[in-house]
Amino acid sequence: MAAKKWMTVAATAALVPALLTACGSNSNNGNEANTTTNAGTNANSGTNNSASTEPVEITILQYAPEMTEAINKLAADYKKEHPNVTITATIHQDDYPTLLKSRINSGDVPDIFMTGAYNENKTYQDYVYDLKDEPFMKNIVPTALPGVTLDGKVLGFPLVLQSHSFIYNKKLFADAGITELPKTFAQLEEAAKKLQAKGVIPFSNGYKEWWVLEQTFTQVLASMGGDYAKTFDELNSGDKKLFDIPEASNVFKLIDLTTKYGNKKPLETDLNSQVALFAEGKAAMMHQGTWVEDSVRKLNPNIDMGFMPGPVGDDASKAGLMVDSNIVWRVNKDSKNLKEVLKFLDWMTTSEAGKSFIPVGTKQISTVASAPFPDAQLSKETQTFLEGGVTYPWVKGYWPDGFEQKAGEILQKYIAGGASADEAKAEMNKTYKTLAEAAE
């Protein structure tokens, strides 16, 4: 099976400086959802087209609930300039892939829908519009395009550069006498004991969300390094099992550590509760990403937080930060509103309000070249990592369709006591093999 397109660690490292340079070039422009054939041409997307007066509703389906307020503002800003256009965004977090595929199979395809990048190009290629010849795509930093490119087609609009690892409360660490960030499991447990002795919950675990566990798994898995494409070719062809990779088993050690020193009932703790425990200073660490900063600061505007180089085992040199552009808006190629959707995306890359959506509205790094850089602590720490730290790509981009959610669900079963580590490994190996064969 041919390797899916993916960036190497070096390519990931190259992505961020390019984005940071581009974003920084216009740093003073920032201001700050409700819960066919390619018929269009690049002429459709220009903002200079004569304004339509016909009522239009552009529908967006996505996950990422942390974007709700920003999308509401985006829709309102767009309507001010295009009074005939209403943007309706539906945000659905739980079991999103199943919902999206169900809607596609029933013919109820939204005008725009969110997915991941890389492997999902192949999954959705028959349903999405090729943006390759749209002029506004020239406004996207070129190094963000590999994740949406398949066979010479550009099958999505990359929204954001994101990073994830353990986020920690700097004051709570200092109060507990932790002067060096832990980079191994042993050091992480020692830090947890110091925090616990101060009456602080070391880890806020939102394990009701399967994707939190999937991201924890990707972090330890990425630490294998080497030729990712070759390794996953061997996995996808059946020549190797997932847990033949030694680093993969470290996910169970990490989960055991976080649950031992974590909040009660982690499988009943959702994203909002996880963030609240951390923001309120009740917990000192949580495995999350740049997307939560805005939510954290709404609860605690003055919190001093940072990224830890995520420990992945006993080798301190492998602790690092996961960085990639993996959130994509895809355009329904058969949308009756295709022309208006393309005009909207053009506006996203050319207007001040559109360019501010990601960096100001969500406090994350935009892929639009002239967008302002976010005034956000975690984004700035991402920049620091890329300048002198260890970073990894989101290796889930190599996984067969469907494994991302299945991996998280199997790890939830492990936490619940429904499977031993060995049983969970066997189930993940079997599930991976089945899905990889189905993708052939």
Side-chain angles (χ1 to χ4, degrees):
M1 181 176 179
K4 293 181 176 74
K5 294 186 178 181
W6 190 261
M7 288 185 293
T8 63
V9 174
T12 307
L15 167 63
V16 179
L19 283 167
L20 299 178
T21 300
C23 293
S25 66
N26 196 21
S27 59
N28 295 320
N29 289 337
N31 306 311
E32 187 196 34
N34 77 39
T35 304
T36 50
T37 58
N38 281 355
T41 67
N42 56 15
N44 288 336
S45 60
T47 53
N48 293 326
N49 291 352
S50 58
S52 170
T53 58
E54 292 293 322
V56 175
E57 181 184 24
I58 295 175
T59 57
I60 301 175
L61 177 66
Q62 70 168 65
Y63 48 90
E66 69 277 1
M67 290 186 177
T68 301
E69 185 176 329
I71 286 182
N72 282 336
K73 184 178 187 306
L74 184 75
D77 288 340
Y78 193 72
K79 195 168 186 63
K80 287 177 186 176
E81 299 182 34
H82 305 82
N84 65 307
V85 180
T86 299
I87 296 174
T88 302
T90 300
I91 298 178
H92 185 93
Q93 183 66 38
D94 295 334
D95 206 19
Y96 176 84
T98 301
L99 172 66
L100 173 59
K101 289 169 186 174
S102 175
R103 288 191 56 174
I104 289 175
N105 290 335
S106 68
D108 182 21
V109 188
D111 298 311
I112 297 172
F113 57 91
M114 179 179 282
T115 77
Y118 299 102
N119 63 326
E120 298 198 22
N121 292 322
K122 187 173 182 180
T123 302
Y124 297 105
Q125 63 181 326
D126 294 335
Y127 309 100
V128 301
Y129 178 77
D130 181 4
L131 299 172
K132 176 176 55 117
D133 294 326
E134 295 302 320
F136 59 77
M137 292 304 293
K138 295 178 182 177
N139 299 324
I140 301 295
V141 175
T143 43
L145 296 176
V148 293
T149 301
L150 178 70
D151 298 331
K153 297 179 180 180
V154 176
L155 300 180
F157 183 91
L159 270 181
V160 59
L161 179 81
Q162 296 180 310
S163 50
H164 71 79
S165 181
F166 282 106
I167 301 169
Y168 72 104
N169 183 314
K170 295 184 178 182
K171 183 179 186 304
L172 293 181
F173 265 50
D175 291 346
I178 303 169
T179 56
E180 293 186 17
L181 294 179
K183 292 185 177 181
T184 67
F185 288 167
Q187 292 169 358
L188 188 60
E189 182 166 23
E190 184 63 29
K193 290 177 179 178
K194 291 180 178 180
L195 290 162
Q196 200 172 59
K198 287 289 186 178
V200 175
I201 300 169
F203 297 98
S204 178
N205 300 317
Y207 292 158
K208 184 178 180 179
E209 314 280 3
W210 57 262
W211 54 270
V212 173
L213 287 162
E214 164 268 307
Q215 289 180 343
T216 305
F217 184 45
T218 61
Q219 187 138 23
V220 298
L221 191 60
S223 68
M224 66 180 171
D227 187 341
Y228 292 124
K230 181 177 182 296
T231 298
F232 281 92
D233 244 0
E234 293 169 348
L235 288 169
N236 293 333
S237 66
D239 293 339
K240 177 182 288 189
K241 295 179 181 179
L242 184 61
F243 281 91
D244 287 341
I245 301 170
E247 290 80 2
S249 295
N250 285 338
V251 68
F252 299 101
K253 297 176 184 178
L254 184 55
I255 288 173
D256 289 348
L257 199 158
T258 61
T259 53
K260 180 179 180 180
Y261 297 97
N263 52 294
K264 297 178 180 179
K265 300 182 178 180
L267 290 173
E268 297 178 24
T269 304
D270 62 8
L271 174 65
N272 290 333
S273 300
Q274 180 187 26
V275 167
L277 278 172
F278 179 81
E280 293 166 2
K282 297 176 181 177
M285 291 176 277
M286 63 175 174
H287 199 284
Q288 276 297 344
T290 46
W291 51 87
V292 300
E293 174 151 359
D294 195 41
S295 298
V296 170
R297 293 205 181 280
K298 281 183 171 65
L299 297 173
N300 186 352
N302 299 317
I303 190 169
D304 188 10
M305 58 183 168
F307 271 129
M308 281 171 42
V312 291
D314 299 326
D315 187 344
S317 70
K318 290 187 174 182
L321 184 69
M322 306 294 290
V323 186
D324 217 326
S325 178
N326 193 55
I327 300 291
V328 177
W329 270 354
R330 300 192 190 269
V331 177
N332 173 9
K333 69 182 179 66
D334 296 321
S335 168
K336 65 180 181 180
N337 300 316
L338 180 58
K339 180 176 179 178
E340 290 294 338
V341 169
L342 297 176
K343 287 172 65 176
F344 167 62
L345 293 180
D346 181 279
W347 178 87
M348 286 275 297
T349 70
T350 55
S351 71
E352 297 309 310
K355 290 188 291 185
S356 295
F357 167 50
I358 293 298
V360 178
T362 75
K363 302 294 189 289
Q364 299 181 78
I365 301 172
S366 173
T367 59
V368 177
S370 58
F373 190 83
D375 182 18
Q377 194 169 14
L378 295 179
S379 292
K380 292 173 182 176
E381 295 227 347
T382 299
Q383 180 178 8
T384 300
F385 266 89
L386 266 296
E387 290 172 349
V390 176
T391 61
Y392 297 103
W394 293 17
V395 293
K396 66 181 181 180
Y398 285 114
W399 293 353
D401 183 42
F403 185 70
E404 184 177 348
Q405 182 167 347
K406 291 297 183 183
E409 291 172 347
I410 293 168
L411 292 173
Q412 285 175 325
K413 184 192 295 188
Y414 169 73
I415 293 170
S420 66
D422 286 341
E423 290 169 339
K425 290 177 188 180
E427 187 174 355
M428 290 174 79
N429 278 337
K430 181 179 179 181
T431 301
Y432 191 102
K433 183 176 185 292
T434 299
L435 292 173
E437 289 175 349
E440 286 284 0

